[in-house]
Amino acid sequence: MRDLKQLVKAYDVRGVVPDQWDENLSRAFGAAFVQVTGASAIVVGHDMRPSSPSLSRAFAEGASGYGADVVLIGLCSTDQLYYASGSLDLPGAMFTASHNPAEYNGIKLCRAGAAPVGQDTGLSEIRELVESWTAADDTVTVPARDVAPGTLSEQDTLRGYADHLLGLVDLTAIRPLKVAVDAGNGMGGHTVPTVFDGLPIELVPMYFELDGTFPNHEANPLDPKNLVDLQAKVREVGADLGLAFDGDADRCFVVDERGEPVSPSAITALVAAREIARARAAGEAEPTIIHNLITSWTVPEVVRELGGKPVRTRVGHSFIKQEMAVTDAVFGGEHSAHYYFRDFWRADTGMLAALHVLAALGGQPGTLSALTAEYDRYAASGEINSTVADQAARTAAVRAAYAVEGTEVDELDGLTVAGPDWWFNLRASNTEPLLRLNVEAKDPARMAELRDGVLAIVRA
């Protein structure tokens, strides 16, 4: 029998098509989503993967069969789906597997107002309901429901999405900029032309053709090899900066005018500074900024210096969004280039972060490397993965070696050990036999020493 626990992850549904799931199963997920949320109407969108149109249509049919009216918005980025969920005040389903290879697909679900649906907020119940409809031979039969079927309608939300974002950042007075954008054949090729239309920007497009087979490179800019083409293009054309979007275009990575990557922590600090200034100008005494525990120490330092209040959370969008709701934070950022905005229903949007970078750079005469230098105060290792047989034993060994007198230790998310001018975090993957290490120190030599010392124990 198909194991749906392999398909339903902590925050989304994701697996290989058709081996792990297909239209019949997607139809069942649509019905289960409506039953669990009690929704009378939902919005559904999809990315450019070959399997996305049929899977999203089947989901919509399952939802309408259980009485929900379905608004189909077609091709969209994930943050465009969040815009639709927020502006229409409807639960939503986005069909995408983000940066995963072409044979994968998935669903990112949200409640009305783009509120997240994860294992603790409805996803487990949806999985259990679908399991109850699945027979031993893997056939899925959705029970009939004594309700009138809902309607299916289509709506274009791209212009509304662009206008909403452009209403949150003032770009009217920026100087002309040359911007190279690598869409990775993903949904950035769909959204960027509309969002950038009319701005004083010379756009240098790369891989804007929507192609879910990803013929040029993986649509995962977190992996440095997928930034190489953009870095070369920025240098070749003399661009002021480069932007790289992942497959569903909810994450954005930034490259400066030298072709050097700008760390997501530096972008988090830059955007936090702008959002703090805006909130304080509107009368907020101490605007709250959320950052996860493996963003740079620079972020809370900058937030405090500018009169804001930094709040540290676990890694993961559900934790960020939950803490933003509790604290009414204006902004949140993660090391993985997910950026969350109160004015965007606390959802993540790489495009809005990119517009903030354009506004900051275009509002002054200097270069991006000079602008971000003040937000890049430490040497960082980046995330390093190690395959291990026993995650707990290796973590305990690292703790024994480094959690000594004079250090601070916490286990908010994995093991974090901090000294006077350094810290590291070691976290276990939830889905793979991996330990993920992040190290930061005041100078590169100390960072390298810590990195190599911890890795030696992890990989012993």
Side-chain angles (χ1 to χ4, degrees):
M1 184 175 175
R2 182 189 284 121
D3 183 4
L4 291 187
K5 289 182 180 178
Q6 297 298 315
L7 183 65
V8 180
K9 312 295 185 181
Y11 314 119
D12 59 12
V13 178
R14 190 169 67 254
V16 175
V17 179
D19 297 354
Q20 291 181 289
W21 72 303
D22 53 22
E23 286 83 358
N24 288 332
L25 196 54
S26 185
R27 193 171 288 107
F29 272 101
F33 181 56
V34 169
Q35 181 158 323
V36 169
T37 61
S40 59
I42 65 169
V43 58
V44 177
H46 65 81
D47 71 6
M48 67 294 143
R49 291 167 183 272
S51 61
S52 288
S54 60
L55 288 173
S56 61
R57 186 77 185 192
F59 183 97
E61 291 168 354
S64 64
Y66 262 42
D69 295 329
V70 182
V71 179
L72 298 164
I73 64 171
L75 280 167
C76 65
S77 62
T78 290
D79 62 333
Q80 187 183 334
L81 184 280
Y82 292 150
Y83 161 78
S85 172
S87 62
L88 299 174
D89 197 29
L90 295 177
M94 174 66 188
F95 278 75
T96 181
S98 186
H99 60 274
N100 286 110
E103 64 270 21
Y104 282 80
N105 214 321
I107 323 172
K108 294 181 178 179
L109 300 169
C110 62
R111 295 181 186 267
V117 172
Q119 288 283 7
D120 299 328
T121 51
L123 198 51
S124 293
E125 291 89 337
I126 292 169
R127 172 180 56 78
E128 290 165 2
L129 195 54
V130 174
E131 284 174 339
S132 73
W133 298 339
T134 305
D137 63 356
D138 276 346
T139 58
V140 184
T141 304
V142 178
R145 199 177 187 190
D146 188 19
V147 294
T151 61
L152 297 178
S153 62
E154 296 182 359
Q155 185 168 330
D156 185 356
T157 60
L158 180 57
R159 185 69 256 172
Y161 157 81
D163 290 344
H164 180 77
L165 294 182
L166 292 168
L168 298 176
V169 183
D170 185 5
L171 292 157
T172 55
I174 66 169
R175 62 186 169 91
L177 297 171
K178 180 182 284 190
V179 184
V181 177
D182 184 345
N185 298 109
M187 293 312 302
H190 173 73
T191 57
V192 168
T194 299
V195 175
F196 282 23
D197 183 40
L199 298 177
I201 288 172
E202 180 183 346
L203 178 62
V204 182
M206 301 176 61
Y207 313 140
F208 271 39
E209 306 78 20
L210 301 183
D211 189 340
T213 67
F214 306 111
N216 294 290
H217 60 71
E218 290 181 348
N220 180 19
L222 188 60
D223 188 334
K225 72 175 183 288
N226 298 318
L227 287 177
V228 170
D229 290 357
L230 177 63
Q231 292 172 285
K233 181 62 72 173
V234 166
R235 298 181 187 116
E236 174 194 336
V237 303
D240 293 292
L241 76 161
L243 304 173
F245 291 91
D246 66 346
D248 60 336
D250 62 347
R251 288 187 297 153
C252 181
F253 284 73
V254 180
V255 170
D256 69 21
E257 80 287 349
R258 305 166 302 172
E260 295 298 321
V262 181
S263 83
S265 285
I267 298 300
T268 296
L270 184 154
V271 177
R274 292 176 52 83
E275 289 288 70
I276 289 169
R278 191 160 70 104
R280 285 174 64 86
E284 285 190 50
E286 191 181 36
T288 298
I289 302 293
I290 308 296
H291 64 99
N292 74 25
L293 53 75
I294 53 177
T295 52
S296 171
W297 270 353
T298 300
V299 174
E301 288 176 2
V302 167
V303 170
R304 291 189 189 97
E305 289 164 7
L306 297 176
K309 178 182 178 181
V311 174
R312 179 173 174 265
T313 75
R314 294 179 61 182
V315 175
H317 79 100
S318 63
F319 302 113
I320 295 273
K321 291 174 181 176
Q322 178 182 354
E323 198 63 36
M324 287 188 75
V326 170
T327 62
D328 196 30
V330 295
F331 174 67
E334 292 199 271
H335 72 296
S336 54
H338 280 286
Y339 304 107
Y340 308 80
F341 295 83
R342 183 172 65 190
D343 290 338
F344 197 75
W345 300 278
R346 304 188 186 95
D348 42 323
T349 165
M351 186 69 77
L352 184 50
L355 294 180
H356 273 284
V357 173
L358 294 175
L361 178 61
Q364 51 94 51
T367 62
L368 184 59
S369 59
L371 176 65
T372 57
E374 64 177 300
Y375 304 123
D376 194 12
R377 303 174 180 180
Y378 297 88
S381 66
E383 191 154 272
I384 303 168
N385 291 327
S386 302
T387 302
V388 297
D390 189 333
Q391 295 167 319
R394 292 296 86 212
T395 301
V398 171
R399 183 186 179 104
Y402 285 93
V404 297
E405 186 175 351
T407 64
E408 295 181 7
V409 180
D410 76 59
E411 295 178 306
L412 174 64
D413 191 352
L415 171 68
T416 301
V417 182
D421 57 359
W422 59 266
W423 63 267
F424 70 80
N425 173 268
L426 190 66
R427 296 162 39 249
S429 167
N430 292 321
T431 57
E432 301 171 273
L434 299 176
L435 284 174
R436 308 187 191 282
L437 174 66
N438 284 268
V439 183
E440 184 174 78
K442 194 65 177 175
D443 64 80
R446 183 63 174 131
M447 184 278 292
E449 178 187 8
L450 277 164
R451 177 198 64 203
D452 296 346
V454 175
L455 284 177
I457 297 172
V458 168
R459 297 174 177 178

